[in-house]
Amino acid sequence: EQYAFLLQKKFWIEIVALLAALLVGAAAVYYFLIPGNLILGSISGLAMVICTFLETVGISMKVSMMVLILNAFLLIIAYVFLGPEVGLKTVIASLLLGPFMDFWAWICPYTNLMEPGLTSVMGDPIFDLLGFVLLLGASQAFLFRINASTGGLDIVAMIMKKYLHWDIGTSVTVSGVIVCLSSFLVNPFRLVVIGLIGTWFNGIVVDYF
């Protein structure tokens, strides 16, 4: 009976909407977060920290693969605390986020959008940050509205919202700050501060959308 939602048309329409929102979120990570080397409060940011740290010990791993691994550990938490419908949607989104990033890399590598002499698509960490937060915030807000998430820290934020009765923007910000602080291991102080500002702004954008 708890899986009766699988027979509802509404559920499958929401799955199609989920895929569209996820494509937008994957584009935000691939085109702005990764080339800009920004570590925000997200599972993608945490994946970047871990991958950068692993490179220092001679282990190379794609960020998309690390995103997949980290999300796998959090899926059971979504199922237990948020229910089977949210859990299933989260499974779909978390498993596809990494491959969707690879899809954008195949369609149009971000290096094709970088002007000569620039180290990121926008060429400035502030504009990289704005592009990322606006796209990701819209994607997250849409997913939250259909009781879904991209996994990772969004799961933590949804649990906070459910049990602590915080608004979703505050939950996203609080869960993300910890990841931002972890970037002190791999990033200079300036980029860490930019990441913290971006995490706060991300919470505002999610609430706005």
Side-chain angles (χ1 to χ4, degrees):
E1 184 178 340
Q2 61 178 335
Y3 295 100
F5 63 86
L6 291 172
L7 302 177
Q8 298 175 359
K9 181 180 178 181
K10 174 177 176 289
F11 173 79
W12 294 105
I13 292 175
E14 289 180 346
I15 291 298
V16 174
L18 180 151
L19 296 177
L22 196 61
L23 273 173
V24 175
V29 174
Y30 179 73
Y31 288 111
F32 295 106
L33 188 74
I34 294 177
N37 199 33
L38 299 172
I39 309 295
L40 273 72
S42 66
I43 202 66
S44 302
L46 180 59
M48 290 174 63
V49 170
I50 295 174
C51 286
T52 302
F53 178 76
L54 289 177
E55 286 181 2
T56 63
V57 295
I59 301 175
S60 179
M61 180 177 290
K62 293 171 63 176
V63 174
S64 58
M65 179 57 67
M66 182 56 67
V67 168
L68 186 63
I69 292 172
L70 291 175
N71 273 319
F73 285 108
L74 290 165
L75 294 180
I76 191 171
I77 296 177
Y79 180 87
V80 171
F81 289 98
L82 300 173
E85 181 176 352
V86 176
L88 179 57
K89 290 177 180 177
T90 300
V91 167
I92 295 171
S94 62
L95 291 179
L96 289 179
L97 180 59
F100 275 14
M101 289 164 58
D102 290 335
F103 168 78
W104 287 118
W106 176 66
I107 291 292
C108 180
Y110 65 73
T111 51
N112 290 356
L113 304 179
M114 292 167 57
E115 297 179 9
L118 299 183
T119 57
S120 67
V121 172
M122 301 302 292
D124 183 284
I126 298 299
F127 287 108
D128 290 323
L129 178 70
L130 289 175
F132 171 73
V133 168
L134 288 174
L135 279 182
L136 185 72
S139 174
Q140 286 178 306
F142 195 89
L143 290 170
F144 288 143
R145 284 296 296 271
I146 60 174
N147 288 320
S149 77
T150 56
L153 296 184
D154 285 351
I155 293 174
V156 178
M158 293 179 75
I159 292 173
M160 287 180 175
K161 180 179 184 297
K162 180 177 181 179
Y163 292 99
L164 299 179
H165 307 294
W166 295 349
D167 61 67
I168 193 64
T170 299
S171 302
V172 167
T173 301
V174 171
S175 62
V177 165
I178 297 174
V179 172
C180 282
L181 294 178
S182 74
S183 66
F184 273 114
L185 297 172
V186 298
N187 266 355
F189 179 77
R190 174 171 173 268
L191 287 180
V192 174
V193 172
I194 290 174
L196 287 169
I197 294 172
T199 299
W200 167 74
F201 186 46
N202 182 220
I204 294 175
V205 170
V206 168
D207 275 340
Y208 173 79
F209 281 115

